[in-house]
């Protein structure tokens, strides 16, 4: 596992995951336009998700299903890798796993949420009440991961500026 953590904290992996995160994130706009409203991912409760699901036509459900299975499976992997890699890059190795944990947890919870939504969109099973827990948990971990990664990056930048200023004296 430590080889994976080291790879995620490499500059090429951070850059690639950032680019993928942005590109995949942009890919949701056409789907949202096609389904004429919010994606189920943005709805925090099972009851509200059921209401939204009932508003969709069969074509819209199919489009949303494929977006959930393809785009929204890749998206948590990309944002999880980006925020985990960024956070892990700027902490001592002994804390790396802990710093990366919120981003990886957000990605895992998001993948569970996607499965629940895909099952509902396909008409296979209604487990949408799990969204009452999964969606807020996903967003909570994601906000924590983003704040942690950005804070650690900012601290590293400040330390670098201070070192450069001291060196230039």
């Amino acid at each position: 596992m430590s080889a994976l953590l080291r790879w995620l904290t490499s500059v090429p992996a951070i850059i690639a995951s950032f680019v993928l995160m942005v590109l995949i994130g942009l890919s949701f706009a056409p789907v949202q336009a096609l389904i004429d409203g919010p994606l189920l991912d943005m709805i925090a409760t099972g009851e509200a998700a059921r209401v939204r699901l009932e508003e969709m036509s069969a074509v819209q459900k199919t489009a949303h299903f494929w977006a959930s299975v393809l785009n929204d499976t890749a998206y948590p992997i990309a944002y999880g890798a980006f925020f985990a890699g960024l956070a892990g890059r700027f902490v001592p190795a002994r804390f790396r796993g802990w710093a990366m944990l919120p981003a990886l947890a957000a990605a895992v919870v998001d993948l569970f949420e996607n499965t629940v939504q895909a099952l509902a969109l396909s008409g296979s099973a209604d487990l949408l009440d799990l969204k009452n827990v999964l969606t807020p948990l996903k967003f909570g971990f994601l906000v924590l991961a983003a704040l942690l990664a950005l804070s650690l990056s900012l601290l590293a930048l400040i330390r670098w500026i201070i070192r450069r200023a001291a060196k230039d004296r």
Side-chain angles (χ1 to χ4, degrees):
M1 185 63 130
S2 64
L4 175 61
L5 297 185
R6 273 194 311 277
W7 178 79
L8 283 173
T9 61
S10 71
V11 172
I14 292 169
I15 291 169
S17 61
F18 175 76
V19 169
L20 287 171
M21 178 182 72
V22 170
L23 291 175
I24 297 165
L26 292 172
S27 76
F28 290 107
V31 177
Q32 193 167 350
L34 180 65
I35 67 168
D36 196 30
L39 298 166
L40 293 179
D41 299 79
M42 304 310 293
I43 299 172
T45 67
E47 192 55 40
R50 275 188 203 89
V51 169
R52 177 70 184 113
L53 195 59
E54 289 300 316
E55 295 170 353
M56 286 188 246
S57 69
V59 170
Q60 290 172 324
K61 287 178 187 175
T62 300
H64 195 318
F65 172 84
W66 286 111
S68 292
V69 170
L70 300 174
N71 306 40
D72 208 17
T73 295
Y75 192 58
I77 294 168
Y79 76 64
F82 174 68
F83 288 122
L86 199 56
R89 180 156 185 86
F90 298 115
V91 295
R94 67 182 183 271
F95 299 118
R96 188 168 288 151
W98 290 108
M100 298 170 86
L101 189 59
L104 299 175
V108 168
V109 172
D110 198 347
L111 292 170
F112 278 116
E113 180 195 40
N114 294 343
T115 302
V116 165
Q117 293 168 173
L119 289 170
L121 287 160
S122 69
S124 298
D126 181 351
L127 301 173
L128 288 171
D129 285 333
L130 291 174
K131 285 185 61 61
N132 296 341
V133 174
L134 293 174
T135 304
L137 194 59
K138 169 189 75 174
F139 284 121
F141 278 132
L142 185 55
V143 167
L144 178 61
L147 289 174
L148 184 61
L150 296 175
S151 298
L152 290 169
S153 299
L154 183 60
L155 285 173
L157 177 63
I158 291 168
R159 284 193 305 266
W160 180 81
I161 291 169
I162 290 169
R163 281 195 308 272
R164 293 273 303 181
K167 187 189 271 188
D168 290 343
R169 283 189 208 163

